[in-house]
Amino acid sequence: MFLSRLNGGRAERIPAEARFDEKFDVIVAGFGTAGAIAAITAAEHGVRVAAVEKLNMAGGTATAGGVWGYYYGLPGGRFEAVDAEVDALRRDHFTSDGAFHPDLKGICLEQAFLKRGGALFYESAVTGVWLDEDRQAVLGVRMVTPDGVRDCGCSVLIDATGDGQAAAIAGAAFAEGRESDGKCQPFSSIRAFRRGGGIGLSNFDAGYMKCSDPADLTRGILASNSLHAKSPGEPQDELYWITRLPGLREGRLVECDETLRFAEFMAGKLPPGRALGWGYSNFDSHTQDWALNDRPARDWMVAASLWGKEFAVPLTLGMLTVRGVANLLVAGRALSVDHLMAGLLRMQRCMQKTGEIAGRAAALSVQANCSVREIDSEALAAELRISGCLDATLLPPCTFPEMPDVLEELLRGPKPGMAVWQASRNLDRYRGLLLKLLSGSDRHAAANAALALGLAGDEAALPELRRLVREGDNFLPASSRSHNQRRILAAVDLLGRFGCPEDAELLLEKLYSAGEDVQLFTHLLRSLLELGGGLPEFRQRIRQAVSARLDAPDFHCDLLLKNSSHNGQKVFAPLRGSLKQLAEKTYQSWEHRQ
């Protein structure tokens, strides 16, 4: 037997013998958005369940985090009964703000679990995972509680910590953050205040922090809390509280048997497992520094400007079954997806569905005395259909236009994004249309056609892309309801991919004149670094130009983070460190190519 625990952020497995204080069929680490539903579902299906929660209340982000409503996601599932109970109680006794009352939701979740005999450990945390002799199967957990350290056995462990903490302790592989600088999505900070006879919320993005780093997590919480204080003499809201949880949107993404990646999803390649529910949203990235994001994100958010396009995404058991460890499931936002896909599959309804899937799968595993991977998938799906978690009739259409005349109309209009994307992904079919528009008298249509050709890697786009950059084309599409990106940014980004000396000269010229335009400067820098990979003769000039800007004593490059419409505070993220990190990584890659 081995005790696995984190040491300096890495899992270490120490030979040891456990004397379990108590044994449960299922242990759920985290009693928040996903974990509470997981624990309730498992307990309601006749197995003995313990839930371990670091706070002293249930519900996580939905309650302590101040997110009292639903942004997208599909209805259906065990959470609906909880919400109905909350609403019935609220009508007589509580304010009506939000989709549900946070205090009541916490109470109803707690009562539903305790009524089924669940053991609930508040102000407690899993600090170790017991593994078998082969270090491949979970036997139990070590947890710190107000009454001391306890070792408890289990047949199935569900990690619903939100940050994949239990899975990381067990030694599971995970990804964290974007490629350029390792940053996850920005987190938000929320305060509740008096608004008339009810409660108002102020929600704004407060910066970046690494959830797996305790020091950085503490720094982020303290810094964001201080942003809610106003200067003497300013109008003061009647402050009720600052939410106890920061609004974390992303942390560890645990590697499971099946992983859903953005590029594969867009190519129609879905995980092979049976869909047991669906997430539904746009790719709701709160990132604003698009030049620092991975190429798939820049393709979607900048070149096509499609931040607001919605999709229904399948949830499979394989996306929750942790690779390399038997009987370890993950529920919540640490499920197995990539950085961009995580922005879609983090909505509360979706998170509650993952909890129900994990809880029901765990109960079936215990009752059949088999591993989670061996349970009857049809029996699991049947149970989820009964609850409404799995209901294909709710799926909305999520399609792209296909008829050439429709694409042409879009490319000539103010909302070209879907046509740009569709044409670029099906170039054999639409190249003739794009070339016709490219050579026509409608320069707006020609520009959009060039974006589609550039996305497809077609060099026919280059002259028009260069024109857009030279002339500073600041056309702002209306393809999305928010976060549309200027066409010059798309052109700059695409020129960085073709490896042409002419483009290196053009972008170097523009870098010197970018001034205080943060978006333009960062995109120029990113594209020049990418061009340097294939143009060794330009590397010294690119490096000198980039260093001259980034190392200048008076250089600053601060990006306004996303704020809610009713919040007057402006929070800026300094990009200098991330840009220098990206540049140094790129220089090192150049040296390896020599």
Side-chain angles (χ1 to χ4, degrees), residues 74 115 158 239-240 278 332 375 426 435 478 525 551:
L74 296 175
K115 285 177 181 177
I158 299 175
L239 181 66
Y240 287 153
W278 288 274
I375 62 175
N426 299 275
L435 292 177
L525 183 148
D551 295 336

Side-chain angles (χ1 to χ4, degrees), residues 123-294:
E123 298 181 341
S124 303
V126 171
T127 60
V129 175
W130 289 98
L131 302 173
D132 69 355
E133 291 297 330
D134 296 325
R135 290 173 282 189
Q136 294 180 341
V138 171
L139 300 177
V141 302
R142 170 164 289 179
M143 56 186 181
V144 175
T145 77
D147 297 321
V149 176
R150 295 171 59 93
D151 289 315
C152 294
C154 65
S155 298
V156 181
L157 173 61
I158 299 175
D159 181 347
T161 60
D163 191 34
Q165 180 76 2
I169 291 171
F174 58 86
E176 191 172 18
R178 61 193 181 191
E179 181 183 356
S180 65
D181 58 3
K183 286 184 177 178
C184 299
Q185 282 203 45
F187 72 99
S188 64
S189 186
I190 302 175
R191 69 174 176 269
F193 57 91
R194 181 176 179 177
R195 176 182 286 165
I199 300 174
L201 295 176
S202 182
N203 178 1
F204 58 91
D205 285 0
Y208 294 94
M209 62 183 174
K210 192 168 185 178
C211 310
S212 62
D213 182 339
D216 198 45
L217 185 64
T218 301
R219 177 206 58 77
I221 292 172
L222 293 176
S224 62
N225 284 356
S226 70
L227 296 173
H228 294 278
K230 294 191 176 182
S231 302
E234 288 187 273
Q236 302 288 322
D237 298 322
E238 188 173 336
L239 181 66
Y240 287 153
W241 64 83
I242 298 171
T243 52
R244 299 177 60 185
L245 284 177
L248 300 173
R249 294 186 174 89
E250 184 187 358
R252 298 185 185 93
L253 300 172
V254 178
E255 183 178 312
C256 294
D257 291 350
E258 298 172 2
T259 301
L260 188 60
R261 297 180 176 87
F262 173 81
E264 294 171 354
F265 175 75
M266 286 299 177
K269 299 177 182 177
L270 300 178
R274 175 196 295 269
L276 299 171
W278 288 274
Y280 175 62
S281 179
N282 63 309
F283 293 96
D284 184 30
S285 174
H286 280 234
T287 300
Q288 305 294 300
D289 48 359
W290 298 112
L292 284 159
N293 275 265
D294 308 342

Side-chain angles (χ1 to χ4, degrees), residues 56 89 95 147-148 156 160 163 185 235 246 380 526 549 570:
N56 61 1
L89 291 170
T95 62
D147 297 321
V156 181
D163 191 34
Q185 282 203 45
L380 176 58
R526 181 68 185 258
R549 289 295 302 272
K570 292 184 177 181

Side-chain angles (χ1 to χ4, degrees), residues 488-509:
I488 187 175
L489 303 180
V492 167
D493 185 77
L494 293 172
L495 284 180
R497 307 179 185 192
F498 286 91
C500 298
E502 181 181 348
D503 298 327
E505 293 282 7
L506 174 61
L507 299 188
L508 278 168
E509 175 189 339

